[in-house]
């Protein structure tokens, strides 16, 4: 598996640019992760990922547990801005800025609803009732196939 960066760097970059709750952070990370897979892989070989952690199909949509745990102390409140310099290359910065441009205008609830209507999360839930917890992984191939077809 070829990894571009760490999930912490992407989270910090997002937090340096826009205000967000933990829920919104999770969905922003998910869409960055997903669109990176589409942009840097092909249908034969999905082996390049933005960061190593794979999303899980939680009740409120895709979640990356390490970042969730880091920011859960903020509850539903806005996470404070990240003010340190983020050292990433221009290509990654351009990619993440595009994710912010497309998805940053939505709040966490809107992004949750979007993910609930998309195949990768639904498939990972495997018809589990929406009120029941799950830590099933959302599959890379499902992400690639669904988003590349859009």
């Amino acid at each position: 598996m070829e990894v571009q960066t760490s999930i912490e760097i992407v989270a910090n970059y997002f937090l340096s640019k826009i205000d967000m709750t933990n829920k919104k952070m999770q969905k922003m990370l998910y869409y960055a992760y997903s669109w990176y897979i589409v942009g840097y892989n092909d249908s034969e070989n999905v082996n390049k990922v933005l960061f190593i952690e794979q999303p899980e199909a939680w009740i409120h949509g895709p979640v990356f547990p390490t970042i969730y745990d880091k920011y859960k102390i903020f509850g539903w409140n806005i996470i404070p801005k990240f003010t340190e310099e983020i050292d990433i290359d221009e290509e990654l910065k351009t990619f993440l800025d595009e994710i912010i441009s497309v998805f940053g205008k939505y709040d966490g609830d809107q992004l949750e609803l979007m993910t609930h209507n998309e195949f990768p999360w639904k498939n990972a839930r495997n018809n589990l009732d929406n009120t029941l917890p799950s830590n099933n992984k959302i599959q890379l191939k499902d992400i690639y196939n669904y988003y590349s077809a859009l």
Side-chain angles (χ1 to χ4, degrees):
M1 188 71 61
E2 188 178 321
V3 178
Q4 170 69 34
T5 190
S6 75
I7 192 170
E8 291 82 8
I9 288 173
V10 176
N12 290 344
Y13 186 78
F14 285 158
L15 287 173
S16 76
K17 298 294 183 183
I18 60 174
D19 290 332
M20 64 180 71
T21 62
N22 197 358
K23 185 193 277 192
K24 181 171 180 170
M25 167 70 75
Q26 295 301 321
K27 307 320 168 241
M28 294 291 293
L29 289 169
Y30 173 72
Y31 282 120
Y33 183 87
S34 297
W35 285 106
Y36 187 91
I37 287 171
V38 170
Y40 292 89
N41 291 279
D42 59 55
S43 60
E44 300 301 313
N45 198 8
V46 178
N47 67 351
K48 294 177 184 163
V49 292
L50 183 56
F51 42 78
I52 198 69
E53 188 171 356
Q54 204 171 333
E56 296 181 358
W58 287 20
I59 290 171
H60 294 286
V63 170
F64 297 90
T66 58
I67 296 299
Y68 174 82
D69 288 343
K70 181 175 182 176
Y71 292 110
K72 68 183 176 184
I73 61 169
F74 295 103
W76 300 104
N77 298 311
I78 299 293
I79 301 167
K81 285 272 198 184
F82 190 84
T83 56
E84 295 173 32
E85 181 77 22
I86 314 290
D87 186 26
I88 59 175
D89 67 41
E90 285 303 313
E91 182 180 357
L92 180 55
K93 189 179 288 190
T94 299
F95 172 77
L96 295 176
D97 286 343
E98 184 64 23
I99 296 298
I100 291 168
S101 170
V102 173
F103 297 101
K105 60 188 167 217
Y106 301 107
D107 66 26
D109 292 334
Q110 292 168 315
L111 292 168
E112 175 185 349
L113 184 60
M114 289 165 61
T115 62
H116 277 211
N117 288 308
E118 297 170 346
F119 177 78
W121 178 82
K122 290 199 284 189
N123 193 46
R125 297 282 298 174
N126 196 23
N127 294 320
L128 187 64
D129 184 276
N130 282 354
T131 62
L132 296 176
S134 164
N135 62 351
N136 295 342
K137 302 284 188 205
I138 298 174
Q139 298 304 305
L140 300 181
K141 203 72 166 153
D142 286 349
I143 289 170
Y144 179 85
N145 290 337
Y146 179 79
Y147 295 104
S148 65
L150 295 180

